[in-house]
Amino acid sequence: MTKTAKSKSAHLNKIKPSTNIIFNIIFILLSIISIFPFFFVLIISVSSEQSIQNIGYALWPESFSMAAYKFLWNEAEMILKSFFISVIVTVLGTIIGVLLTTAMGYTLSRRNFKLKGFYTWLVFIPMIFNGGMVANYVVISNILKLNDTIWVLILPLAVSSFNVIICKTFFKTTIPDSIIESAKIDGASQLTIFTKIVVPISKPVFATIGLFLTFGYWNDWFQSSLYISNPKLVSMQALLNNMMKNLSYIANNPSAGLSLQQYVNQMPSESVRMAIAVIIVVPIACAYPFFQKYFISGLTIGAVKG
């Protein structure tokens, strides 16, 4: 490219200072809009119950109080057990889900796969039709016998049609057939091709699916509420949801301790709701930066040169 062409290209791509300022203002406003709900919830969680009763939810309450967090701290033993279950489920579920989803997506993206059409429909149909809750419960509970096991929190959410379609599209548009054919000529097996060639240049899709699965597992409370009756296997989200909806759950739980007797008459119910939301959001928010760095990298690594 000549100097004149480079200069012309740079001139066309240059952003005017006024336009740059407008973009910065827009991005700042969008950031504030995104952060504000969490900040508001955090403020309510440290507001006194009396202040909430007097003026309602406010950005600056009449008085601050840590009563909500003290209440949850007194239930720390029970919450930590559930937290450990949630961490195990999230980690195992994400690993298993990423392996199964990407393997299925890669297989369906290959043109020479003989059963490609059949399995594509098999994956696509569940996106439109659903067997319903009763059929789902019968299969998981009566046929697979997964009730009151940690696997009932992992396996039903491990693979979704939407994630498989994302992987299929990514592999089909990103992984050149020439690379696969060259590896086959060199004697590489499909497993070797996938692990040694496909995986290193597909970090963005692995990170994306991993992020979706991590959020899904961490925020899930329905599976635990539906299939788990053993208090030792209840996830943190289900436990906190039960605490928020019905204090009798704590009263009937032997591991809840005596703290309920101290707060039953004066428990800061509104601020506790927001404190629970903060406890659930913070851990998963800390995991997001780990995945984010892969979104903008690895897209062109290993591309075939002309």
Side-chain angles (χ1 to χ4, degrees):
M1 184 180 292
T2 63
K3 291 184 179 181
T4 304
K6 288 183 179 180
S7 177
K8 185 177 181 180
S9 177
H11 176 73
L12 293 174
N13 292 327
K14 185 178 180 181
I15 299 177
K16 296 180 179 179
S18 57
T19 305
N20 192 33
I21 292 174
I22 293 174
F23 283 159
N24 288 332
I25 293 174
I26 292 174
F27 288 137
I28 291 173
L29 291 176
L30 291 175
S31 300
I32 293 173
I33 292 172
S34 301
I35 297 172
F36 178 77
F38 177 76
F39 175 76
F40 193 39
V41 168
L42 180 63
I43 291 296
I44 297 171
S45 70
V46 295
S47 300
S48 66
E49 195 70 8
Q50 187 64 36
S51 174
I52 295 176
Q53 292 177 359
N54 291 341
I55 63 174
Y57 295 156
L59 283 175
W60 194 261
E62 292 179 344
S63 59
F64 291 92
S65 173
M66 298 299 292
Y69 292 97
K70 289 179 181 177
F71 172 81
L72 295 178
W73 176 258
N74 289 329
E75 305 299 336
E77 182 179 357
M78 181 174 57
I79 293 176
L80 286 175
K81 289 180 181 178
S82 299
F83 178 81
F84 182 67
I85 293 295
S86 291
V87 170
I88 292 178
V89 169
T90 301
V91 172
L92 287 179
T94 300
I95 293 173
I96 293 173
V98 167
L99 291 177
L100 293 176
T101 303
T102 53
M104 291 176 64
Y106 171 72
T107 302
L108 294 177
S109 69
R110 296 303 93 193
R111 296 179 181 178
N112 57 352
F113 179 50
K114 295 181 180 179
L115 298 177
K116 175 182 175 182
F118 171 75
Y119 282 108
T120 298
W121 279 107
L122 198 64
V123 170
F124 179 72
I125 288 174
M127 293 181 64
I128 304 174
F129 303 102
N130 193 315
M133 185 182 299
V134 174
N136 188 62
Y137 185 86
V138 169
V139 171
I140 292 176
S141 179
N142 297 344
I143 298 178
L144 299 180
K145 306 292 184 182
L146 293 178
N147 272 24
D148 280 334
T149 65
I150 197 169
W151 297 110
V152 78
L153 304 177
I154 296 175
L155 297 181
L157 304 178
V159 178
S160 73
S161 298
F162 178 75
N163 290 343
V164 173
I165 297 300
I166 290 177
C167 290
K168 176 189 174 183
T169 304
F170 178 88
F171 290 131
K172 187 175 181 180
T173 57
T174 305
I175 308 299
D177 291 334
S178 56
I179 290 182
I180 308 301
E181 295 301 327
S182 298
K184 287 182 179 179
I185 293 174
D186 292 337
S189 63
Q190 287 291 349
L191 183 60
T192 301
I193 294 172
F194 183 73
T195 55
K196 300 295 185 180
I197 299 176
V198 176
V199 172
I201 62 178
S202 303
K203 289 181 180 178
V205 74
F206 276 79
T208 301
I209 300 302
L211 188 64
F212 288 163
L213 289 170
T214 300
F215 283 171
Y217 278 113
W218 183 260
N219 293 324
D220 178 66
W221 58 269
F222 184 73
Q223 297 290 118
S224 184
S225 298
L226 190 61
Y227 298 109
I228 299 296
S229 58
N230 185 352
K232 294 182 180 180
L233 294 177
V234 175
S235 65
M236 186 179 71
Q237 289 72 20
L239 173 67
L240 295 179
N241 182 64
N242 289 331
M243 290 174 62
M244 186 168 57
K245 291 193 304 181
N246 191 357
L247 287 176
S248 65
Y249 177 85
I250 305 176
N252 296 328
N253 192 331
S255 63
L258 299 177
S259 61
L260 179 64
Q261 303 301 325
Q262 302 171 6
Y263 289 96
V264 68
N265 296 324
Q266 53 183 359
M267 195 200 80
S269 57
E270 292 299 323
S271 55
V272 164
R273 293 173 185 269
M274 302 305 170
I276 287 172
V278 171
I279 290 176
I280 292 175
V281 168
V282 169
I284 197 65
C286 294
Y288 179 75
F290 174 79
F291 295 95
Q292 185 186 24
K293 65 181 181 180
Y294 293 106
F295 288 162
I296 57 175
S297 64
L299 290 173
T300 58
I301 298 176
V304 177
K305 296 181 180 180

